[in-house]
Amino acid sequence: MTANQKSLGIITICRGSSFLEKAYYKKLTLIGRKSGIRVFVFSPREVDFDTRTVNGFEFRDGEWQKRNFPLPAYIYDRCFVGPSYRHYKPFVEKLQNDPAITFLGHGLSGKWQVHQMLVKSPLLKKWLPPTDLYSFSSLQRTLQAHGSAVIKPIAGTHGIGVVRIDKSPEGYRVSGRNRENQPFEKACRGQTGLKAFLAGFVGSRSFLVQPYLSLHTRDGTPFDVRVLVQKNGDGQWETTGRAVRLGDKRSITSNLHGGGKAVSLSSFLANHYPAKTRSKIEQQLDRLVAELPPFLESEHGRLFELGIDVGIDTEGNVWIIEVNSRPGRTVFKMIDDPQARIHSITQPVRYARYLMKHA
């Protein structure tokens, strides 16, 4: 096996020598080194396809060092989709289309595309909230049918731009998080006022509209369950960990970037649901987590790790909220689950080694 075939390149959005998740990539580098795999970080924009080399960064001697590397045969995509991603997307796609390169997994494109794939499964379909592309008319239909609605950006992250809309005696009440991820509330007089506000808020972005679900505790604290699933060293899907993320009462989302905290799933369910309901929730979670990764992969193409966000309403009904192909790991550090935290970091290297052995 050649040197580049024993290398794992992590692609991410770099600004000079600055890039996010350095602590995580440092751990991946050290784990890879023990396995005989060279791990380094680079921007997709820095690839020279003529020489098949790339300028990137490797953690050595206690610091990140800039070097020129042969283009790796295996790539771990950590280019988060956001405002600057359009500058990277063509370069990522060129790497994906290179026959000599294998991606550990191909990133999911957006909430609407994921919904359209999952709704094809008769089993998963029952856990999906009614979902439509946002327009003012689709919002009106949802409000008419359910009384309250939520709109969320198709390409959004961290709960930014997620908004709840309720009918009120004066017209409508709008609450959620703005583009700066700050909570806000606003009253709109009639449909004209609501339409004018949402036109400015949505702008040219694409949103989804769904009924508002009571995904909160009895005292109004929003929460969801984050399940991290990854492929292991045998190429099989495995659950790395589960945790509950609790949000700020002023928010409608439980994202940790919005000031939330995390607790263990078992203790949370024991504190908030009776035993019979708890058993039903756990059974549904087990089925959902077993079914979703292989089904989504069969529709989408190769995946290797997913953050599955699951909502549980006040009646104990389970809902698929979001599926993320570039999941974070902070939640397992916050609940002091060392096994989940270690597995979340080691599995990408184990799976890369599996692919290298079976190439």
Side-chain angles (χ1 to χ4, degrees):
M1 193 175 284
T2 62
N4 75 316
Q5 290 173 318
K6 290 282 284 182
S7 291
L8 175 62
I10 303 169
I11 56 171
T12 189
I13 293 174
C14 299
R15 292 173 179 85
S17 60
S18 174
F19 50 91
L20 299 175
E21 299 192 299
K22 283 187 175 180
Y24 174 42
Y25 301 154
K26 172 186 169 182
K27 290 169 186 169
L28 284 176
T29 302
L30 300 176
I31 292 163
R33 201 165 287 157
K34 288 179 182 175
S35 304
I37 298 171
R38 189 179 193 184
V39 179
F40 60 91
V41 179
F42 68 97
S43 164
R45 292 170 63 93
E46 290 291 316
V47 176
D48 186 329
F49 283 94
D50 293 331
T51 61
R52 298 196 69 77
T53 60
V54 61
N55 291 319
F57 302 90
E58 184 177 27
F59 191 82
R60 278 196 178 276
D61 304 322
E63 64 180 5
W64 287 99
Q65 300 178 7
K66 188 171 185 178
R67 298 190 177 184
N68 187 262
F69 303 91
L71 204 52
Y74 297 89
I75 284 180
Y76 181 13
D77 182 0
R78 294 294 288 179
C79 285
F80 293 97
V81 177
S84 60
Y85 184 68
R86 68 183 186 277
H87 301 301
Y88 289 77
K89 187 178 179 182
F91 301 94
V92 174
E93 289 176 345
K94 190 167 183 179
L95 288 167
Q96 288 175 335
N97 293 327
D98 192 308
I101 294 175
T102 299
F103 273 57
L104 301 192
H106 295 288
L108 296 168
S109 33
K111 296 181 181 72
W112 178 240
Q113 290 83 353
V114 171
H115 177 84
Q116 287 179 303
M117 288 185 269
L118 294 181
V119 81
K120 295 178 186 177
S121 162
L123 178 60
L124 296 172
K125 185 178 181 179
K126 68 181 182 182
W127 291 310
L128 290 167
T131 304
D132 205 348
L133 286 171
Y134 170 78
S135 65
F136 194 70
S137 59
S138 65
L139 171 64
Q140 286 176 303
R141 288 195 299 271
T142 305
L143 287 170
Q144 191 70 35
H146 302 279
S148 298
V150 168
I151 64 169
K152 55 180 72 172
I154 283 179
T157 56
H158 308 324
I160 297 170
V162 179
V163 169
R164 174 182 175 181
I165 299 140
D166 298 282
K167 289 183 177 179
S168 72
E170 299 78 28
Y172 297 91
R173 189 169 63 87
V174 183
S175 58
R177 289 190 172 271
N178 60 22
R179 294 190 189 207
E180 288 72 46
N181 208 13
Q182 297 300 313
F184 77 92
E185 281 196 24
K186 180 176 177 59
C188 296
R189 286 191 172 278
Q191 287 194 10
T192 304
L194 179 64
K195 189 173 186 178
F197 170 74
L198 290 176
F201 184 86
V202 169
S204 60
R205 297 180 296 169
S206 297
F207 276 66
L208 296 180
V209 59
Q210 297 174 332
Y212 172 75
L213 303 172
S214 302
L215 307 179
H216 53 72
T217 61
R218 299 285 179 185
D219 71 352
T221 302
F223 76 92
D224 67 10
V225 181
R226 162 55 67 93
V227 184
L228 178 62
V229 292
Q230 297 171 295
K231 285 184 179 173
N232 58 24
D234 297 317
Q236 301 300 311
W237 286 105
E238 195 174 282
T239 298
T240 297
R242 308 180 186 198
V244 173
R245 302 183 298 184
L246 297 164
D248 188 317
K249 282 186 182 180
R250 298 172 301 161
S251 175
I252 61 168
T253 64
S254 53
N255 201 283
L256 300 179
H257 288 78
K261 62 180 182 177
V263 296
S264 75
L265 175 62
S266 55
S267 62
F268 178 84
L269 292 179
N271 288 335
H272 293 277
Y273 294 93
K276 190 174 180 182
T277 306
R278 195 161 69 240
S279 175
K280 187 180 101 174
I281 291 168
E282 288 169 342
Q283 287 173 10
Q284 288 189 82
L285 274 176
D286 289 343
R287 287 202 72 192
L288 189 161
V289 171
E291 172 79 6
L292 191 151
F295 181 83
L296 187 57
E297 187 171 39
S298 71
E299 291 291 320
H300 169 79
R302 179 181 283 156
L303 295 163
F304 95 99
E305 63 177 357
L306 295 169
I308 305 171
D309 295 339
V310 179
I312 306 169
D313 66 26
T314 48
E315 303 303 314
N317 299 306
V318 168
W319 301 96
I320 299 169
I321 303 304
E322 189 173 344
V323 184
N324 190 334
S325 57
R326 298 177 182 89
R329 289 149 175 77
T330 310
V331 66
F332 303 113
K333 191 174 182 180
M334 294 176 78
I335 65 166
D336 193 26
D337 187 340
Q339 185 175 356
R341 193 172 74 249
I342 291 165
H343 271 219
S344 73
I345 296 164
T346 55
Q347 293 289 46
V349 175
R350 288 176 182 162
Y351 181 57
R353 188 171 58 191
Y354 164 81
L355 291 176
M356 291 172 187
K357 282 182 181 177
H358 294 83

